[in-house]
Amino acid sequence: QVQPVESGGGSVQAGGSLRLSCAVSIRTDSPSTVAWFRQAPGKERDFVAASTRNGNTYYADSVKGRFTISREGVGNTASLQMNNLKSDDTAVYYCASFNGHCSNIGCRDRRLYNYWGQGTQVTVSS
């Protein structure tokens, strides 16, 4: 497996939408989880959303109802549709993956993920 590659960041006004994509190289016959984390300046890298290959999705409370994570094709592309963006959503967004499945609690632990992308900036202006 190689490093995930993110795309789709940018600047948007509050209330707008952005879609992030992540290309991952994962064996199609193995369990896998792809997640998005974000890090604002001076803050910890926080969990945003995760999608397991066995069909589960999990979200941080702060984005539930506004963000949607999905996996396309054989699961090697993960997208994060972000609607009704707020200034608090401003951060660098990172795609991460590992070869396995996790629970709602487990998926939130960034130590679980051994493949990380370089990150893409999302800026929301009010």
Side-chain angles (χ1 to χ4, degrees):
Q1 190 169 349
V2 299
Q3 184 179 31
V5 179
E6 305 100 337
S7 61
S11 297
V12 66
Q13 289 192 325
S17 299
L18 281 175
R19 186 177 181 88
L20 306 182
S21 292
C22 174
V24 295
S25 177
I26 301 175
R27 286 179 54 176
T28 58
D29 59 347
S30 300
S32 65
T33 296
V34 181
W36 289 93
F37 287 77
R38 66 186 181 186
Q39 188 167 18
K43 295 190 176 181
E44 296 282 316
R45 189 172 297 188
D46 291 332
F47 171 78
V48 175
S51 173
T52 65
R53 177 163 271 158
N54 62 354
N56 294 313
T57 57
Y58 307 113
Y59 296 93
D61 288 345
S62 59
V63 307
K64 201 173 294 184
R66 301 188 297 123
F67 290 12
T68 302
I69 188 171
S70 60
R71 293 175 71 167
E72 288 83 41
V74 295
N76 284 5
T77 300
S79 297
L80 185 69
Q81 177 67 41
M82 306 185 294
N83 297 328
N84 191 21
L85 282 159
K86 305 175 181 179
S87 57
D88 287 349
D89 295 319
T90 295
V92 176
Y93 283 70
Y94 296 90
C95 179
S97 67
F98 80 100
N99 296 320
H101 293 151
C102 46
S103 65
N104 187 13
I105 300 299
C107 283
R108 297 164 191 264
D109 188 347
R110 60 180 183 264
R111 296 171 298 178
L112 206 59
Y113 301 86
N114 47 5
Y115 300 99
W116 289 85
Q118 298 277 14
T120 184
Q121 177 70 46
V122 171
T123 303
V124 184
S125 57
S126 56

